[in-house]
Amino acid sequence: MGTGATERGRAERRPEVLAPFLLSLCCAALAEQIRYRIPEEMPKGSVVGNLAKDLGFGVQDLPTRKLRVSSEKPYFTVRPETGELLVSDRVDREQICAKKPACALEFEAVAENPLNFYHVSVEIEDINDHTPKFTHSFFELQISESAQPGTRFILEVAEDEDTALNSLHDYKLSLSPSFSVLNKEKQDGSKYPELILEKALDREQKSYYSLILTALDGGNPPLSGTTELRIQVTDANDNPPVFHQEVYRVSLSENVPPGTTVLQVSATDQDEGIYSEITYSFYRPGQVFGLNSKNGEITTENTLDFEENKEYSIVVEGRDGGGLVAQCTVEISIQDENDNSPEVTFHSLLEMILENVVPGTVIALIKIHDKDSGENGEVNCRLEGEVPFKIISSSRNSYKLVTDKTLDREQTPEYNVTITATDKGTPPLSSSTTITLHVGDVNDNAPVFQQAAYVAHVAENNAPGASIAQVSASDPDLGPNGQVAYSIVASDLEPRALASYVSVGAQSGVVYAQRAFDHEQLRAFALTLQARDQGAPARGANVSLRVLVGDRNDNAPRVLHPAPGPDGAALLDTVPRAAEPGYLVTKVVAVDADAGHNAWLSYHVLQASDPGLFSLGLRTGEVRTARALGDRDAARHRLLVAVRDGGQPPLSATATLHLVFADSLQEVLPDLQDRPAPADAQAELQFYLVVALALVSVLFLLAVILAIALRLRHSSGRAAWGCFQSALGSKAGPVVQPNYSEGTLPYSYNLCVAQTGKTEFNFLKCSDPLSSGQDLLCGDSSGALFPLSNSSEPASHSESLTPQAPPNTDWRFSQAQRPGTSGSQNGDETGTWPNNQFDTEMLQAMILASASEAADGSSTLGGGAGTMGLSARYGPQFTLQHVPDYRQNVYIPGSNATLTNAAGKRDGKAPAGGNGNKKKSGKKEKK
């Protein structure tokens, strides 16, 4: 929409302010250009027009539209509150447009939401703010006295920077009867003065004239400038020079090189001699062209530029030797060439483009400018390369840069966009401008772990606080969108106990052990770790971590059999004298709480009284006879067995075996009574070595064996055994049943023996607990049980005891009732034995309680069928079916297999080798 303004009176001498005027009511005009007209030199802050109103914006739309001016030269600005276009800088028409008849400032007004721009043209009207000026304050002119009236002389031209009516209008000369001034006009409309000689001069009367030349412009009021005209009258020179042409006109291309000949002026003089010699010169010397003073040839001195100056007007003087001067005008027109490449300028360029912008978003406004004219100034614009942007033409030489595809910062964080502008000249010129567009990040990527799942191996007994694993996740986003924090979100551990087991570094992803792990208590556990970025909204990913606790050799083997008694007394195992090589004497049973090689047990003999008599299974722990017993071999032997595991370094435990060769249980008791316990293992070993080496010791050993045989024969004739006489018996104690029939326990029997003096021994009270595998059953061959008594007590007291009923033959253990261990099933070389210490102690407690009651006369061992002589305090329902089976720890002497009750049931007889009994020494083994 165009606007106009009402002119104010010129008499006010104030700048004219032109209000917007109406050019057209058609809406299509708005899309083309908004035009205003103002006078130059308006003060800053002056209102040019209401731009918002002319664009159709309401006052309420101004805060959101953010109307502003986008221009290289900020002469104008927009008031945000009202949308008025204001003058923001000095507007000098002469500085902006020079001598152009029409002067207009064109720029774009930019509005946002939505982004758009509008073309605005402000026409600048000239005011009379410049006075005409002469180049020099005076100039001299020589005129011969012989000059004829009517001779004309071209004078200096004054310059006025104003245009149109305010430009130079005419010249005036101070009053003089001899001279006058004539105003002449050039082809371009400019005026120059010529001095006319009105009457003949007489140098003898007046040789010098001083006149004032005044230049006036057409302003209201007019402005003027003056210069002094100094005229020197010279002696007569009858004929002045005459140029062939009064005005020379020539066209010249702007791209001609310096030194190019433009044209040649020529003048003649009818005089002869020195008065006919003509010298050429510029009336006003210039820097663009040069003149040969001899021949009048004009050449170019510097390069020409059509965009700076389209034409030149030069005055050439021809002076003869007598001082007469002739003048001509040379008008040079410059032709335009395509010598300027287009210029690309960006406006409202976005510093950052978010990667989630939709296609079609405006990125920048592009302005193309070419200084050339015509087709040389018409420009086409295009994008170089494959980029997700495109250019949309908005108006003449104006474009929009918009997005054409979706952006992804992770693939391309920035784009170098090259825009090439090409004009339509011949040949065409082009220029390229490259800008870098940075793509802003949004949180569109979740963290990704480097592995699908993690497995960490940590050995037990680790140091608390040590790192056991590290997880790592990457996020290609930037800043907080790519900063990953780790946490534990789930576990198969108890939620309350999780913090005491492991923790994870929030920034590093390192998993730390908060405590020392124990492979025997916790072998593996699983965690679910989460990596979460700091974006809004945050994104996360989970991964599983399985921690496997490895075993270390931190548990020594534990010997289950033979187990010493509660008082530290050693166990005795009896071996038949007629045992063949390979006879299974006993088995060392041990377990290890570790796993794998750390629990792989091996059995080794550390010390043996007779190393060649027994052999020990490396993996089974079975003690077997290596050869038959000789006449000179000792009856009692001691083996020190070491149990080692397979760890590095290995851990070990020791077990001491006391083996006695005897055919019956009665043979053991006198030997135990007479044979004092060795002082220590080393002394016993030394003793047997001495016996083995000395013949005297052999004879002594035979004597001892003979004495033991006589003693046993003497003891077997007594009613209650000679070992239970008053000198040897205690108040109450268990009695020994040497034989057992079908249904009785096929165990080796243990005797509780204590040293009471040098020549006698007492049975210990069986209220003391026995270790695993010990049984206490005492009685004669007929099955009656007798308490032990001192020799001082009457014999009738022993005979008055009521015989005890034999044990229930139905007492059996089924295969399902036996503890399920590797040793009890197959007894292979690599098997290990379970820890049944708790059940063993329960069995010992019940047996000892029953034995104590029998010694007090309150109960008998055979009080009830299936009760194994247990007292009523345990109840008749507590049968041996409730007792764990420990027969896997007992072996039948003379057999190569573990004892079971299956043979007894099938054959209806006692198992073979029933005379292999287990006894406890009455004297504690010294350690």
Side-chain angles (χ1 to χ4, degrees):
M1 179 181 292
T3 58
T6 305
E7 292 188 5
R8 298 180 180 178
R10 294 183 180 271
E12 296 178 356
R13 307 305 300 168
R14 293 181 298 177
E16 296 178 7
V17 180
L18 302 179
F21 62 95
L22 182 64
L23 294 179
S24 175
L25 295 177
C26 181
C27 297
L30 178 60
E32 296 179 357
Q33 208 168 37
I34 305 298
R35 299 182 182 273
Y36 297 98
R37 181 183 297 170
I38 62 170
E40 66 174 337
E41 302 294 345
M42 289 184 68
K44 294 182 180 180
S46 300
V47 178
V48 177
N50 195 322
L51 181 59
K53 182 178 179 181
D54 295 335
L55 293 176
F57 296 166
V59 178
Q60 67 277 6
D61 299 332
L62 293 179
T64 58
R65 297 305 302 272
K66 296 180 181 179
L67 187 63
R68 68 181 187 277
V69 172
S70 173
S71 176
E72 296 84 1
K73 297 180 180 180
Y75 291 104
F76 305 96
T77 185
V78 177
R79 181 177 293 169
E81 296 81 8
T82 61
E84 294 177 329
L85 185 64
L86 307 178
V87 177
S88 61
D89 198 358
R90 180 186 176 214
V91 180
D92 188 354
R93 185 187 184 282
E94 288 74 23
Q95 183 180 1
I96 298 173
C97 300
K99 288 289 187 178
K100 292 181 181 180
C103 181
L105 288 175
E106 295 184 358
F107 55 91
E108 281 75 35
V110 180
E112 298 181 0
N113 300 320
L115 181 65
N116 204 346
F117 61 92
Y118 308 88
H119 298 282
V120 181
S121 176
V122 179
E123 184 178 352
I124 310 300
E125 293 187 346
D126 183 63
I127 63 173
N128 194 20
D129 57 341
H130 294 87
T131 61
K133 293 181 180 180
F134 290 91
T135 306
H136 304 89
S137 59
F138 68 94
F139 66 93
E140 297 179 349
L141 183 64
Q142 293 181 352
I143 301 177
S144 175
E145 62 179 340
S146 61
Q148 298 297 321
T151 304
R152 299 181 179 183
F153 304 92
I154 300 176
L155 302 180
E156 181 183 16
V157 179
E159 296 289 338
D160 192 345
E161 296 182 3
D162 295 326
T163 60
L165 295 178
N166 298 323
S167 64
L168 186 64
H169 187 264
D170 58 53
Y171 295 88
K172 292 183 179 181
L173 189 65
S174 58
L175 293 177
S176 173
S178 301
F179 301 94
S180 64
V181 66
L182 176 65
N183 293 302
K184 297 197 70 176
E185 187 174 352
K186 297 181 181 180
Q187 186 177 3
D188 59 357
S190 61
K191 296 181 180 181
Y192 63 93
E194 285 186 354
L195 182 66
I196 302 176
L197 181 61
E198 295 292 336
K199 63 178 184 178
L201 301 178
D202 189 356
R203 191 187 66 80
E204 286 72 22
Q205 293 183 357
K206 191 174 183 179
S207 61
Y208 179 80
Y209 292 90
S210 178
L211 302 176
I212 301 300
L213 180 62
T214 302
L216 299 173
D217 62 17
N220 186 14
L223 301 179
S224 62
T226 61
T227 186
E228 182 182 5
L229 182 61
R230 299 174 182 178
I231 301 175
Q232 183 70 35
V233 180
T234 63
D235 198 11
N237 185 11
D238 296 341
N239 296 291
V242 177
F243 281 95
H244 296 168
Q245 292 180 224
E246 185 177 356
V247 177
Y248 290 87
R249 293 183 176 89
V250 65
S251 294
L252 190 65
S253 175
E254 65 173 332
N255 59 358
V256 296
T260 301
T261 300
V262 180
L263 56 85
Q264 185 176 10
V265 296
S266 178
T268 58
D269 195 323
Q270 296 181 1
D271 296 329
E272 295 181 353
I274 191 173
Y275 294 113
S276 64
E277 296 179 358
I278 300 174
T279 302
Y280 301 95
S281 64
F282 286 132
Y283 180 70
R284 294 178 59 186
Q287 298 180 352
V288 179
F289 300 96
L291 177 63
N292 190 323
S293 61
K294 298 298 184 181
N295 58 16
E297 185 182 44
I298 299 175
T299 60
T300 58
E301 293 286 337
N302 297 317
T303 58
L304 305 179
D305 191 352
F306 173 83
E307 289 71 34
E308 292 182 0
N309 202 341
K310 295 178 176 58
E311 62 180 5
Y312 294 91
S313 179
I314 304 173
V315 176
V316 180
E317 288 185 342
R319 187 183 297 273
D320 60 14
L324 295 180
V325 176
Q327 294 177 331
C328 71
T329 301
V330 179
E331 294 183 355
I332 302 174
S333 177
I334 307 300
Q335 295 180 350
D336 182 45
E337 298 290 339
N338 190 24
D339 58 346
N340 291 280
S341 299
E343 298 177 359
V344 181
T345 306
F346 288 88
H347 302 278
S348 303
L349 178 64
L350 297 180
E351 296 181 357
M352 186 71 67
I353 310 169
L354 294 181
E355 59 180 327
N356 60 349
V357 297
V358 297
T361 302
V362 179
I363 305 302
L365 303 177
I366 305 172
K367 181 71 175 180
I368 310 297
H369 179 67
D370 196 323
K371 294 180 181 179
D372 295 327
S373 59
E375 289 188 353
N376 296 331
E378 296 181 7
V379 181
N380 293 324
C381 187
R382 70 179 185 275
L383 279 175
E384 300 291 343
E386 293 293 332
V387 291
F389 305 97
K390 65 180 179 179
I391 294 178
I392 300 177
S393 178
S394 176
S395 61
R396 181 177 57 88
N397 295 336
S398 296
Y399 300 87
K400 292 180 181 179
L401 179 64
V402 299
T403 57
D404 189 35
K405 301 177 182 178
T406 57
L407 307 178
D408 189 353
R409 190 207 63 80
E410 287 70 35
Q411 293 184 359
T412 308
E414 63 181 20
Y415 292 91
N416 292 324
V417 179
T418 300
I419 298 176
T420 301
T422 305
D423 59 25
K424 296 182 179 180
T426 304
L429 299 179
S430 63
S431 64
S432 299
T433 301
T434 302
I435 59 172
T436 301
L437 299 179
H438 299 278
V439 181
D441 183 60
V442 295
N443 193 21
D444 56 347
N445 291 280
V448 178
F449 282 95
Q450 294 182 356
Q451 300 181 19
Y454 291 83
V455 177
H457 297 269
V458 56
E460 64 175 333
N461 304 326
N462 57 290
S467 63
I468 60 176
Q470 183 176 14
V471 297
S472 179
S474 60
D475 193 323
D477 294 326
L478 287 180
N481 297 333
Q483 295 177 358
V484 180
Y486 302 92
S487 61
I488 301 176
V489 296
S491 173
D492 55 1
L493 298 174
E494 290 293 334
R496 296 181 180 178
L498 175 61
S500 65
Y501 277 87
V502 290
S503 64
V504 63
Q507 303 301 325
S508 62
V510 177
V511 180
Y512 298 95
Q514 298 299 104
R515 63 190 298 178
F517 299 139
D518 188 355
H519 174 78
E520 288 71 38
Q521 295 182 1
L522 180 66
R523 299 197 175 188
F525 59 91
L527 303 174
T528 299
L529 302 176
Q530 183 181 76
R532 194 173 184 85
D533 58 29
Q534 307 300 316
R539 294 176 178 268
N542 294 344
V543 71
S544 63
L545 169 63
R546 182 168 179 81
V547 180
L548 304 179
V549 180
D551 181 58
R552 285 185 175 178
N553 193 25
D554 58 345
N555 291 279
R558 180 183 177 188
V559 178
L560 299 181
H561 177 80
D567 56 352
L571 299 179
L572 293 178
D573 290 293
T574 60
V575 184
R577 293 180 179 275
E580 297 294 332
Y583 173 82
L584 177 61
V585 178
T586 185
K587 181 174 182 179
V588 179
V589 180
V591 294
D592 196 317
D594 294 324
H597 283 278
N598 296 331
W600 194 6
L601 302 181
S602 61
Y603 301 85
H604 309 271
V605 177
L606 295 182
Q607 295 178 0
S609 58
D610 190 349
L613 187 55
F614 299 96
S615 64
L616 178 63
L618 179 64
R619 296 301 176 187
T620 62
E622 295 179 349
V623 179
R624 298 179 182 271
T625 57
R627 60 180 175 81
L629 180 67
D631 295 336
R632 295 184 180 183
D633 291 331
R636 181 175 178 179
H637 296 271
R638 178 177 176 270
L639 290 180
L640 181 60
V641 178
V643 183
R644 298 193 186 101
D645 57 24
Q648 291 296 331
L651 300 179
S652 63
T654 60
T656 302
L657 300 177
H658 295 275
L659 307 177
V660 177
F661 283 88
D663 293 329
S664 64
L665 181 63
Q666 290 81 357
E667 297 181 17
V668 180
L669 296 178
D671 183 67
L672 295 178
Q673 179 181 0
D674 294 342
R675 187 184 302 275
D680 51 29
Q682 185 65 27
E684 183 181 6
L685 179 60
Q686 293 177 356
F687 171 77
Y688 284 110
L689 291 176
V690 173
V691 173
L693 296 176
L695 179 59
V696 178
S697 300
V698 174
L699 297 176
F700 176 76
L701 179 60
L702 295 175
V704 171
I705 295 174
L706 181 58
I708 292 175
L710 294 176
R711 184 65 176 267
L712 292 176
R713 180 180 302 176
H714 176 71
S715 298
S716 62
R718 298 185 181 182
W721 292 4
C723 64
F724 298 139
Q725 295 177 359
S726 60
L728 301 176
S730 60
K731 181 180 179 180
V735 294
V736 180
Q737 181 179 354
N739 299 320
Y740 55 87
S741 60
E742 181 181 358
T744 60
L745 287 173
Y747 282 71
S748 297
Y749 302 120
N750 300 328
L751 288 179
C752 301
V753 182
Q755 182 78 20
T756 59
K758 296 183 178 179
T759 60
E760 61 181 5
F761 63 92
N762 294 328
F763 285 94
L764 294 177
K765 292 182 179 181
C766 292
S767 59
D768 297 334
L770 298 178
S771 60
S772 174
Q774 296 179 2
D775 298 328
L776 190 60
L777 298 176
C778 300
D780 59 6
S781 60
S782 62
L785 299 177
F786 300 93
L788 296 178
S789 62
N790 296 329
S791 60
S792 58
E793 293 182 0
S796 60
H797 178 74
S798 300
E799 296 175 355
S800 62
L801 295 177
T802 304
Q804 185 177 352
N808 189 355
T809 58
D810 295 332
W811 182 83
R812 301 286 182 177
F813 281 143
S814 65
Q815 184 67 25
Q817 291 173 326
R818 298 181 182 180
T821 63
S822 60
S824 63
Q825 300 300 326
N826 47 28
D828 57 0
E829 287 291 322
T830 60
T832 59
W833 291 81
N835 183 6
N836 297 319
Q837 184 66 24
F838 179 77
D839 296 337
T840 304
E841 292 175 356
M842 290 180 59
L843 177 61
Q844 293 170 356
M846 292 185 292
I847 295 175
L848 293 177
S850 176
S852 178
E853 290 182 0
D856 294 340
S858 59
S859 177
T860 61
L861 291 175
T867 62
M868 197 177 140
L870 300 182
S871 64
R873 72 180 67 176
Y874 296 100
Q877 71 280 5
F878 193 96
T879 65
L880 290 180
Q881 295 177 358
H882 300 85
V883 181
D885 186 2
Y886 285 88
R887 284 173 291 178
Q888 68 272 19
N889 294 339
V890 181
Y891 302 89
I892 304 172
S895 173
N896 294 329
T898 304
L899 178 64
T900 62
N901 60 354
K905 285 185 178 182
R906 182 179 64 251
D907 301 334
K909 59 178 72 175
N915 59 347
N917 298 327
K918 184 183 297 181
K919 298 298 180 180
K920 177 183 287 188
S921 174
K923 298 177 183 179
K924 299 180 180 178
E925 293 292 332
K926 293 183 180 180
K927 298 181 180 180

